[in-house]
Amino acid sequence: MLSKSQARTFFLGGTAVTFLIFLGLSWNSLSNEVPKQTHPENLTPQVIAGKQLWEANNCMGCHTILGEGAYYAPELTKVVERRGEGYIKAVLMSKEPWQPRGRKMVAYGFSDEQAMQLIEFLKWIGNTDLNGFPPKPDYQQSTQNTTK
Amino acid sequence: MRYKSQKVAYWFFALSMLLLTLQIVYGFVMGFDRIGWQGLHDYIPFNTARAVHTNLLVMWLLSGFMGAAYYIIPEESEHELVNVKLAYIQLIAFALVGVAAIVGYHFNYWEGRKFLEIPRPLDWLVVVDVLTFLGLILATIYAGKKKTTTSLVLAMGLLFAALLYLPGMIWFDNQTMDSFFRWWVVHLWVEGVWELIMGGILAFLLIKITGVDREVIEKWLYVIVGLTFISGILGTGHHYYYIGVGKIWLIVGGIFSALEPLAFLGMALFAVAMYRKGEKKHPNKIALSWTLGTAIVSFVGAGLLGMAHTLPQVNMYTHGTLVTAMHGHLAFWGAYAMIVLAIISYAMPNLTGRKLYDSNRGVLAFWLSNIGMLGMTVAFGVAGVAQVYLERKVGLEFGVVQQEIEVHFVILLICATMFATGICLYLYEFIKYGTPNDEALQLN
Ligand code: HEM
Ligand code: HEM
Ligand SMILES: [Fe+2]
């Protein structure tokens, strides 16, 4: 039967090996994959200002982005593609809580400049290569195809 | 209780109970908000309620872990805590920083990164506070007569948890990098180092309650924490599938995270086997229920329900939906909430010298809270699966789908009421025990 010192070796050895592999893979992701998939060259001061607004107001406390956040309001990674800039600007600059279906967003009443910064941020994130997320709805596609 | 300084644990437990109560209040605020009762929106919008709910959760668990360490470490090391006054200061500082953060969330003062909402200036105070705590614990182990595996695993878990908080404090312009390192905190905590803390507390409880030989228990402890790290470190990849890093994580994350349930299965089998094997039948049946309960429910909530959405093919659809909320609730409850409630149930009679452990109220608290939480999990799960199909398969609008699934939140609230009733009974018992005193030193 396994002895206590063998069990300890299993713990320490296993941890060391997997941890080193993890560091190696992380290094590879950050130095090779992130530059290709996220287009850091497009991180303009406007995009960064948008990210700061995003964090300062905790938009993630209602919405998800990259599929992370809260499940109370729509996923926003592809929102520019889905709604267009004009719609989003209306949402962000609204002085009354935005609530197309009763559920309320905080009425931020952003200025034109701030709204544009957030939109630039959302545009940038929309161009990230997410390995296929969010998935294209299957049934919507098939109904579209049959009507063609 | 064998050492006077163990009494400090009580105050950490008391803080923990207070924060738990508040956490549940904010849970109800969100639950009602989701069925359209948004009366509090102007004062507590959903994002405030959520940040408060999840941060209070983490704080009460940490307070419980610290209390557990202050109780366990002197007893295991056979040495009084090196500086009791500093431990009280550390407690008060922890409570103050926590309150400041929670109040700030009501005034738009936060950093909107899920689970890491505490603003960076306050983060530094957290770091100082936790370093003080670790200093006290490590110095006590060092000064003590014995350095047991149980105390070392517990201390190692606490130390790594503190270190892993740091990558979460770095600012990144790039959202993908931000998310990448956020998981070093969130994932490597709950599916890594916190399991060491859980394992350490569980081993201590099993040694005390079942009377099985320490050597046997501690050997299995090593195996379990070994399984945890071997699967959990590379399992971080299950959060890297769809955030803007490479496809290699689909394979690495998929395989290793699928192994993570083994550690929880190990924990469940181990606890039950030790209970069967134990000669000594400790009279504190309630502590025994919570101890076996945590080992089993964590396997269901973390192991089985984690497995349910961890493969990349499934996660593509469930990522960032109420399915995650289903898993988050039962996993946190089973693994970390229940282990804290277990050590409190075990420690209270010893700290206060009052042996109130064969009350029906305690048994009822256990069953009501567990059945209530299981019901909540099912409600979140049904809502989540419906959401996944309607939104991601059929392609209906987010808002339309939310209206379709609103009814499940009525069920959620009913189950949450049952859960909260159980917690109220637990609190009633806690209060009835009163405060710790030195007469309890002779007992046990
Ligand atoms: C006690 C242990 C665990 C706790 C407390 C826990 C808790 C959580 C929480 C709170 C989240 C949401 C995190 C966020 O979005 O920021 C989450 C996500 C996730 N967990 Fe766990 N978990 C545990 C163990 C596991 C295990 C063992 C597995 C796999 C077998 C697993 C699989 C997942 C997956 C795949 C996600 C991502 C969901 C998504 O894509 O939205 N978890 N977990
Ligand atoms: C009265 C009981 C409770 C109610 C009504 C409740 C309700 C909720 C709601 C509505 C959310 C937000 C989900 C969303 O973003 O839409 C949430 C999040 C969360 N709650 Fe609770 N909750 C309760 C108790 C608890 C307890 C006892 C725990 C821990 C043991 C817990 C852990 C969590 C976690 C970890 C999250 C974040 C989940 C995620 O991000 O995936 N909750 N809760
Ligand atoms: Fe994870």
Side-chain angles (χ1 to χ4, degrees):
Chain A
M1 259 302 265
L2 186 81
S3 73
K4 189 169 166 187
S5 74
Q6 283 170 324
R8 184 170 49 221
T9 313
F10 167 74
F11 165 57
L12 294 174
T15 303
V17 171
T18 48
F19 187 62
L20 287 176
I21 300 175
F22 179 66
L23 285 184
L25 286 172
S26 294
W27 181 259
N28 179 48
S29 285
L30 298 176
S31 54
N32 299 324
E33 296 162 0
V34 169
K36 278 198 211 101
Q37 291 183 238
T38 71
H39 309 289
E41 69 281 3
N42 298 339
L43 283 170
T44 59
Q46 255 200 320
V47 174
I48 294 168
K51 181 174 186 273
Q52 270 155 354
L53 280 172
W54 173 265
E55 283 191 16
N57 293 292
N58 192 12
C59 309
M60 235 194 193
C62 290
H63 293 276
T64 49
I65 195 159
L66 306 178
E68 289 171 22
Y71 321 122
Y72 183 77
E75 155 66 44
L76 294 181
T77 312
K78 298 280 180 200
V79 71
V80 180
E81 193 178 297
R82 184 169 71 238
R83 298 287 193 207
E85 283 183 33
Y87 184 100
I88 299 174
K89 219 165 159 178
V91 175
L92 295 177
M93 292 176 67
S94 170
K95 299 245 180 336
E96 291 295 312
W98 182 262
Q99 45 172 1
R101 290 177 199 83
R103 196 178 276 185
K104 284 182 187 156
M105 171 156 154
V106 175
Y108 289 104
F110 286 120
S111 69
D112 196 76
E113 192 194 356
Q114 289 171 317
M116 279 322 290
Q117 289 168 339
L118 276 163
I119 290 172
E120 286 301 316
F121 170 66
L122 291 170
K123 266 195 207 159
W124 171 80
I125 204 114
N127 282 326
T128 310
D129 172 3
L130 298 178
N131 299 335
F133 181 83
K136 298 264 175 301
D138 306 334
Y139 302 116
Q140 200 179 42
Q141 265 172 356
S142 61
T143 43
Q144 274 167 358
N145 288 344
T146 48
T147 51
K148 255 185 208 156
Chain B
M1 182 169 76
R2 302 224 171 95
Y3 298 87
K4 274 190 182 171
S5 52
Q6 283 176 298
K7 277 184 303 192
V8 68
Y10 171 84
W11 300 102
F12 281 86
F13 294 154
L15 176 66
S16 185
M17 293 295 96
L18 181 70
L19 300 177
L20 163 62
T21 314
L22 286 173
Q23 187 215 344
I24 293 174
V25 173
Y26 280 82
F28 274 109
V29 171
M30 280 190 288
F32 282 119
D33 193 318
R34 278 190 165 270
I35 61 168
W37 296 16
Q38 301 174 78
L40 288 171
H41 174 83
D42 291 340
Y43 315 98
I44 312 179
F46 190 87
N47 57 344
T48 297
R50 192 184 211 279
V52 174
H53 183 66
T54 52
N55 281 258
L56 281 173
L57 167 67
V58 174
M59 276 165 54
W60 81 260
L61 295 178
L62 287 178
S63 184
F65 292 163
M66 291 187 202
Y70 283 130
Y71 185 87
I72 293 174
I73 296 297
E75 198 155 314
E76 287 283 301
S77 322
E78 302 187 359
H79 195 284
E80 292 282 0
L81 203 62
V82 289
N83 189 334
V84 179
K85 209 187 259 165
L86 204 54
Y88 282 106
I89 295 176
Q90 186 253 319
L91 167 72
I92 294 166
F94 181 78
L96 288 180
V97 176
V99 169
I102 299 300
V103 172
Y105 297 164
H106 292 78
F107 298 96
N108 213 24
Y109 179 56
W110 46 21
E111 275 160 17
R113 299 156 73 226
K114 189 180 179 185
F115 286 110
L116 307 182
E117 286 91 350
I118 299 185
R120 283 178 180 86
L122 288 179
D123 275 341
W124 287 108
L125 295 179
V126 175
V127 170
V128 173
D129 190 73
V130 171
L131 284 180
T132 314
F133 162 73
L134 281 171
L136 286 172
I137 292 299
L138 295 177
T140 307
I141 294 179
Y142 185 75
K145 290 196 203 69
K146 284 199 183 136
K147 294 176 184 46
T148 64
T149 301
T150 301
S151 64
L152 289 179
V153 168
L154 178 59
M156 201 190 235
L158 293 163
L159 177 69
F160 287 163
L163 287 179
L164 281 170
Y165 192 68
L166 302 176
M169 290 168 60
I170 313 168
W171 163 271
F172 294 100
D173 291 339
N174 188 323
Q175 184 70 28
T176 295
M177 305 265 275
D178 200 309
S179 161
F180 195 90
F181 285 105
R182 189 178 74 88
W183 290 115
W184 282 35
V185 191
V186 178
H187 170 95
L188 289 177
W189 265 14
V190 299
E191 289 154 71
V193 297
W194 280 27
E195 282 180 57
L196 264 63
I197 301 174
M198 179 190 175
I201 301 175
L202 189 67
F204 176 81
L205 286 167
L206 288 173
I207 291 169
K208 297 289 164 175
I209 294 177
T210 67
V212 172
D213 184 40
R214 175 184 286 278
E215 283 301 302
V216 178
I217 289 191
E218 291 184 338
K219 177 174 84 186
W220 290 110
L221 179 60
Y222 272 133
V223 174
I224 287 165
V225 294
L227 285 174
T228 297
F229 275 164
I230 289 170
S231 61
I233 294 175
L234 286 167
T236 316
H238 67 183
H239 302 291
Y240 294 166
Y241 298 156
Y242 309 119
I243 64 163
V245 289
K247 288 201 165 115
I248 177 105
W249 292 109
L250 301 186
I251 301 164
V252 176
I255 293 173
F256 282 87
S257 70
L259 298 174
E260 283 179 39
L262 285 181
F264 289 97
L265 179 64
M267 211 115 55
L269 293 177
F270 160 70
V272 173
M274 293 305 128
Y275 166 65
R276 291 246 172 94
K277 196 174 151 117
E279 313 270 276
K280 177 167 120 193
K281 289 281 172 266
H282 196 284
N284 191 342
K285 288 282 179 314
I286 301 212
L288 177 69
S289 301
W290 286 105
T291 305
L292 293 180
T294 189
I296 293 165
V297 180
S298 66
F299 172 60
V300 179
L304 293 180
L305 295 183
M307 186 68 207
H309 62 156
T310 202
L311 296 178
Q313 298 85 337
V314 179
N315 193 255
M316 166 73 101
Y317 289 91
T318 58
H319 183 42
T321 64
L322 288 163
V323 170
T324 310
M326 155 197 80
H327 154 72
H329 277 85
L330 200 66
F332 259 113
W333 169 253
Y336 303 122
M338 286 180 77
I339 192 77
V340 168
L341 299 178
I343 184 77
I344 294 180
S345 296
Y346 172 76
M348 286 304 280
N350 304 340
L351 286 167
T352 60
R354 297 189 190 86
K355 299 196 187 274
L356 305 176
Y357 36 61
D358 47 3
S359 86
N360 287 329
R361 216 177 288 113
V363 178
L364 204 58
F366 177 83
W367 288 107
L368 281 179
S369 56
N370 271 293
I371 296 171
M373 182 49 86
L374 270 174
M376 286 168 60
T377 307
V378 172
F380 269 125
V382 174
V385 172
Q387 181 193 3
V388 167
Y389 273 92
L390 295 178
E391 194 185 320
R392 302 237 165 121
K393 283 274 187 192
V394 179
L396 295 180
E397 286 264 329
F398 178 90
V400 174
V401 174
Q402 292 298 312
Q403 286 171 331
E404 286 297 319
I405 62 178
E406 198 173 288
V407 60
H408 301 301
F409 284 86
V410 177
I411 311 291
L412 178 88
L413 284 165
I414 294 170
C415 297
T417 307
M418 185 172 177
F419 170 78
T421 312
I423 296 296
C424 286
L425 292 176
Y426 189 95
L427 286 171
Y428 183 87
E429 291 283 283
F430 182 86
I431 293 166
K432 240 181 66 190
Y433 270 111
T435 49
N437 52 63
D438 287 337
E439 282 112 76
L441 275 176
Q442 284 93 39
L443 298 160
N444 173 36

